[in-house]
Amino acid sequence: WDLEGLQDDLELAKKKAAPAPAPAPQAQQTQAVDQDGLSLGDPNFAHLSDKDYAQHRKVMSAKRYIWEATRPEMRKGEPAPIVPPARGEPLPDPDAMLEELMKMAPQATKADYFDEASSSWDIDALTEDLRLSRVSFVPTN
């Protein structure tokens, strides 16, 4: 075998290969709330019973977990599955979450989690960073 020739051919093929397509933008998740400010869940699944909706959330959580565990090059540019909000839970307040995060991680900024163009928050990233900061934060008193 001509291993050097094969290696050269492989490198040329990699250079000629088209870059991976950009991931598709995630659909904006809408939130429906009742008079008490509690989530009614994803309005696209309002027809589901509470039991079926809870099962749907479990399935989407599992898909999200699998997606996060998959190496980026194996995801084929697919966006992360969106886990719908639970019914009857208070909606997250991104401003309060960011304020709490900035107390523990002063380098965090609103621009890291808020997209001005779409006026939307990346709640998943903010929630995860806040969770990690709560676990690792040691007060200096």
Side-chain angles (χ1 to χ4, degrees):
W1 291 85
D2 179 13
L3 294 179
E4 292 177 358
L6 288 173
Q7 185 67 31
D8 290 340
D9 290 344
L10 180 61
E11 289 176 16
L12 286 173
K14 285 181 181 178
K15 288 180 183 177
K16 289 182 182 178
Q26 288 189 358
Q28 226 15 18
Q29 187 165 334
T30 57
Q31 300 274 338
V33 293
D34 66 7
Q35 67 275 9
D36 297 325
L38 300 177
S39 173
L40 295 175
D42 187 335
N44 296 320
F45 298 98
H47 63 283
L48 296 177
S49 68
D50 287 344
K51 182 179 176 183
D52 290 339
Y53 187 80
Q55 182 62 32
H56 171 68
R57 287 192 76 237
K58 287 179 186 177
V59 169
M60 294 309 293
S61 292
K63 286 183 177 184
R64 177 70 183 231
Y65 177 80
I66 291 168
W67 183 89
E68 289 174 351
T70 304
R71 293 191 332 239
E73 62 270 15
M74 301 298 288
R75 293 180 186 159
K76 302 176 187 168
E78 297 171 0
I82 297 173
V83 179
R87 290 179 178 167
E89 291 183 0
L91 296 176
D93 178 8
D95 289 315
M97 293 168 67
L98 180 62
E99 184 178 329
E100 181 181 348
L101 176 62
M102 291 174 73
K103 289 178 183 174
M104 294 179 277
Q107 69 275 17
T109 65
K110 184 175 181 177
D112 295 334
Y113 306 99
F114 185 74
D115 180 30
E116 293 284 343
S118 64
S119 296
S120 64
W121 287 89
D122 186 353
I123 295 293
D124 289 338
L126 183 56
T127 302
E128 180 66 9
D129 289 352
L130 186 56
R131 183 187 70 78
L132 291 171
S133 293
R134 285 175 179 155
V135 170
S136 62
F137 180 69
V138 179
T140 55
N141 287 342

